[in-house]
Amino acid sequence: MPAALPPFPKPQEPVDPPDLLQLGTGPEGTGVDGDEPCLRADAARNRARLLEAAARLVAEHGAAGVTMEAVAAAASVGKGTVFRRFGDRTGLLMALLDHSEKKFQAALLGGPPPLGPGAPPVERLRAFGCAMLRRSIDELELQLAAEPSAERRYTSAPRRFQRGHVALLLRQAAPDGDSELLSHTLMAYLDAALVHHLTEQCGVPPARLRAGWMDLVARVTRTEHPA
């Protein structure tokens, strides 16, 4: 029989707390890259309404259905308003991803358990993966369109925050494991490109992806698979 695997090494350095996403905000209350004044309350409400309209279009028609004209019509505003707020379609899509990520982070940091604080770490890991899979499936075209280049894939602000969150939960759930490396392993399962391959090219149903995530968490944390 092959020799038993050695125990997981403990990380040499403590895992840093998750980085909060700062996309779309600049220093001293300014806008993107610090060159836009802080939004007035009514302008902020209009921006949120435009982003919610764009999110509905993505859910109904995919990223291809998100045009400046379509968003303006869905939000009942003039097309010029959308151009003034986001510049062009690329700026709109990036703002939409930023908006979605910030809502997701807020749920992780202060939302109800098990996604938010208050549940055991293994339950939070399960909830995190299921929520990420649901986001990837709902926003798949959008996430693929904004996929970072290879050299930035693991250093972008959203990825750092998400992986840091997983690493912290792993340190609590499996303190004898290498939470740094294992967090990368778990995040790889949730990669948007992999979700696209499995769901769109291989026909894997979302329920099977969720079951696979539950199984992976159980094996990594050496806990019972939930019923």
Side-chain angles (χ1 to χ4, degrees), residues 24-81:
T25 56
E28 300 180 355
T30 57
V32 178
D33 297 327
D35 60 1
E36 181 181 314
C38 186
L39 295 176
R40 301 186 307 274
D42 58 340
R45 285 192 295 270
N46 289 338
R47 185 177 190 274
R49 188 173 68 180
L50 291 170
L51 290 173
E52 292 296 339
R56 290 196 303 273
L57 289 172
V58 171
E60 295 170 3
H61 307 291
V66 180
T67 65
M68 308 299 266
E69 294 82 359
V71 172
S76 300
V77 300
K79 184 172 65 174
T81 300

Side-chain angles (χ1 to χ4, degrees), residues 153-164 184 187-188 191:
R153 177 170 296 175
Y154 301 103
T155 59
S156 65
R159 180 78 177 207
R160 289 200 314 270
F161 174 85
Q162 294 160 6
R163 193 202 59 78
H184 282 288
M187 286 298 298
D191 183 72

Side-chain angles (χ1 to χ4, degrees), residues 199-219:
T199 58
E200 300 296 322
Q201 298 176 332
C202 299
V204 176
R208 184 178 172 190
L209 289 183
R210 289 191 294 270
W213 171 256
M214 296 293 194
D215 182 56
L216 179 59
V217 169
R219 292 175 187 275

Side-chain angles (χ1 to χ4, degrees), residues 33-181:
D33 297 327
D35 60 1
E36 181 181 314
C38 186
L39 295 176
R40 301 186 307 274
D42 58 340
R45 285 192 295 270
N46 289 338
R47 185 177 190 274
R49 188 173 68 180
L50 291 170
L51 290 173
E52 292 296 339
R56 290 196 303 273
L57 289 172
V58 171
E60 295 170 3
H61 307 291
V66 180
T67 65
M68 308 299 266
E69 294 82 359
V71 172
S76 300
V77 300
K79 184 172 65 174
T81 300
V82 187
F83 277 98
R84 284 193 298 273
R85 177 56 54 207
F86 302 107
D88 56 19
R89 184 174 181 273
T90 299
L92 172 61
L93 293 178
M94 293 305 298
L96 184 56
L97 272 179
D98 182 25
H99 182 63
S100 172
E101 181 63 28
K102 285 178 177 176
K103 288 199 300 184
F104 184 62
Q105 288 187 12
L108 291 177
L109 296 174
L115 188 59
V122 172
E123 289 187 22
R124 295 195 70 193
L125 271 175
R126 294 172 185 149
F128 171 83
C130 289
M132 284 285 289
L133 289 170
R134 185 166 55 250
R135 277 189 72 201
S136 291
I137 291 170
D138 291 345
E139 304 173 355
L140 191 51
E141 292 184 43
L142 190 61
Q143 292 197 19
L144 291 175
E147 183 77 10
S149 57
E151 63 271 16
R152 292 190 59 251
R153 177 170 296 175
Y154 301 103
T155 59
S156 65
R159 180 78 177 207
R160 289 200 314 270
F161 174 85
Q162 294 160 6
R163 193 202 59 78
H165 179 72
V166 170
L168 286 175
L169 293 178
L170 282 172
R171 289 186 71 192
Q172 299 168 9
D176 60 335
D178 188 335
S179 58
E180 281 286 286
L181 292 181

